[in-house]
Amino acid sequence: MFRLLKTDIHILMRKKGFQATFLLLMVYALGTSIYYAYQQQGLDASELYHPAILSAINSDARHAALFATWFPILAVLPAGFSLAGEQKAGTDIFLMTRAGGRNYYGSKLLAGFLVSFVTFTLPFLLEVAFQMIIFPQGGGNTMTGWPMYSPTYLEYSERFIFGGLYRISPYLYYAVHLLLLGTFAGCGAVFVLGISTFRLKFQALLFVPLYLFLYVVGQVAPLIFDFTTNLNWYLLAYDAVEGKQPAYYIGLMVVMLVTGCLLTAVNFRRSVGTARR
C-alpha cells in the first residue's frame, strides 16, 4: 500500500493539473507579497505588516475574495481527474488486478487528499517565509491599520475561527488556519474522486459536483442555522465577520470526506459484483 501510495503521489505531482494549480497559487501568494512590499517602501519598522498577517489569504488582502470564489474550481485540479484519467485510458482494471481493488482506491483517495493538502498550504507557507526574508525585523501592523496587539485588534481577533490562538501567537493562528484550509481542499478532492467512480462520459463534468455541493449548502444552510454560513469567511484568514462556527466548517469537511469514501466503496463493490456475473 505504501509503495502504491508513493507512486500515486509521484504521478499526481507530474500531472499538469497539480503543476498548474501549484504554480498559480505560488504566483498569487508571492505576487501579493511583492505588491505589499512595494507599498511599504520607506515605512518605519513599526508601521510594517507582520509577516504572518500579510498573507494572500488574509480577508483584507487584495484579490482574497477572488481566491475564495474560485476555490471550488481550483480544488478539483490537483487530483480530481486522477481516477477518471485511468478509467479513460483503461489502465484502472490492470492496476486493480495487480494491487487489489481496496488498495487501488484507497491509495487514490489518500494520494488525492495529500496532494491537494500540499497544493493549498505550501504556497502560503512559502509566502510567509518570503516576507520574513524581505522584512527580517518583522512588523507590528495589520492590514486593518490597527497595531497587531492593540486592544481594538485583540477584540477584533476574537471573531476569527480559533481566534484565541492569535493571542498566543499570530504564527500559530496562521498555521492552524492553513491546516484547516489544506484539509478542506483534501476533503474536496476525495469528494470529487468519489463522484468520478461513476465513470462520467465527460471529465469536465467533474468541475460541477464540488461547486454545486458548496453552492447548495450555501443557499440552504442560512435557512437552517442562525450563524454565518458563507464559506468565504471560513476559507480566508483574519476574517472578523461575526457568528462563524468552527463546527460548521469541520462538518463540511467530514461530509465531503465520508461521501467520497462511501461513493468509492459502493461503486467498487458494484463493479466487483458485475465482474463476478
Side-chain angles (χ1 to χ4, degrees):
M1 174 70 171
F2 178 76
R3 290 180 61 185
L4 182 59
L5 175 63
K6 186 178 178 181
T7 300
D8 282 335
I9 290 174
H10 181 68
I11 290 173
L12 281 176
M13 295 182 74
R14 293 176 59 188
K15 295 286 187 180
K16 291 181 180 179
F18 164 77
Q19 294 175 353
T21 309
F22 187 83
L23 179 61
L24 178 64
L25 293 180
M26 279 297 305
V27 169
Y28 168 59
L30 295 182
T32 300
S33 293
I34 293 170
Y35 171 78
Y36 283 107
Y38 177 78
Q39 281 203 331
Q40 293 180 97
Q41 281 185 327
L43 294 180
D44 185 80
S46 62
E47 298 178 290
L48 298 176
Y49 297 136
H50 188 275
I53 292 176
L54 179 50
S55 168
I57 57 172
N58 187 315
S59 62
D60 294 311
R62 195 181 189 193
H63 304 312
L66 190 62
F67 164 77
T69 300
W70 280 93
F71 177 87
I73 302 299
L74 293 174
V76 177
L77 290 172
F81 296 98
S82 59
L83 270 174
E86 291 183 358
Q87 289 167 356
K88 184 177 180 180
T91 57
D92 59 322
I93 304 298
F94 168 76
L95 292 172
M96 276 192 285
T97 303
R98 184 176 178 182
R102 288 185 179 83
N103 287 338
Y104 172 78
Y105 282 114
S107 176
K108 290 296 179 187
L109 295 182
L110 186 54
F113 178 92
L114 293 174
V115 168
S116 296
F117 179 90
V118 170
T119 305
F120 283 86
T121 54
L122 187 56
F124 304 112
L125 281 175
L126 294 176
E127 177 191 24
V128 172
F130 182 67
Q131 290 290 343
M132 295 174 72
I133 294 171
I134 295 178
F135 304 111
Q137 73 276 29
N141 212 353
T142 69
M143 300 180 83
T144 63
W146 295 317
M148 59 185 296
Y149 289 120
S150 67
T152 303
Y153 196 77
L154 289 177
E155 182 180 350
Y156 181 86
S157 70
E158 292 176 359
R159 292 179 250 166
F160 301 164
I161 295 180
F162 301 115
L165 297 175
Y166 177 85
R167 289 176 175 266
I168 300 172
S169 168
Y171 290 112
L172 177 60
Y173 163 76
Y174 187 68
V176 171
H177 186 89
L178 273 186
L179 178 67
L180 291 171
L181 176 64
T183 303
F184 195 90
C187 292
V190 171
F191 178 77
V192 175
L193 287 169
I195 297 291
S196 72
T197 60
F198 285 99
R199 297 177 179 268
L200 303 179
K201 185 175 181 180
F202 301 105
Q203 292 187 33
L205 291 175
L206 290 174
F207 282 114
V208 177
L210 182 60
Y211 178 86
L212 185 62
F213 168 73
L214 295 177
Y215 175 80
V216 170
V217 168
Q219 296 299 310
V220 174
L223 304 177
I224 302 173
F225 305 113
D226 59 355
F227 52 80
T228 299
T229 57
N230 188 323
L231 185 61
N232 288 17
W233 310 138
Y234 290 87
L235 294 175
L236 300 176
Y238 304 102
D239 184 84
V241 171
E242 294 185 282
K244 295 190 292 293
Q245 292 292 333
Y248 171 73
Y249 191 31
I250 295 171
L252 287 177
M253 299 183 205
V254 172
V255 169
M256 291 189 296
L257 184 65
V258 171
T259 301
C261 291
L262 284 177
L263 290 176
T264 303
V266 167
N267 283 313
F268 166 62
R269 290 180 180 179
R270 188 176 64 178
S271 65
V272 170
T274 302
R276 287 176 176 174
R277 295 195 200 103

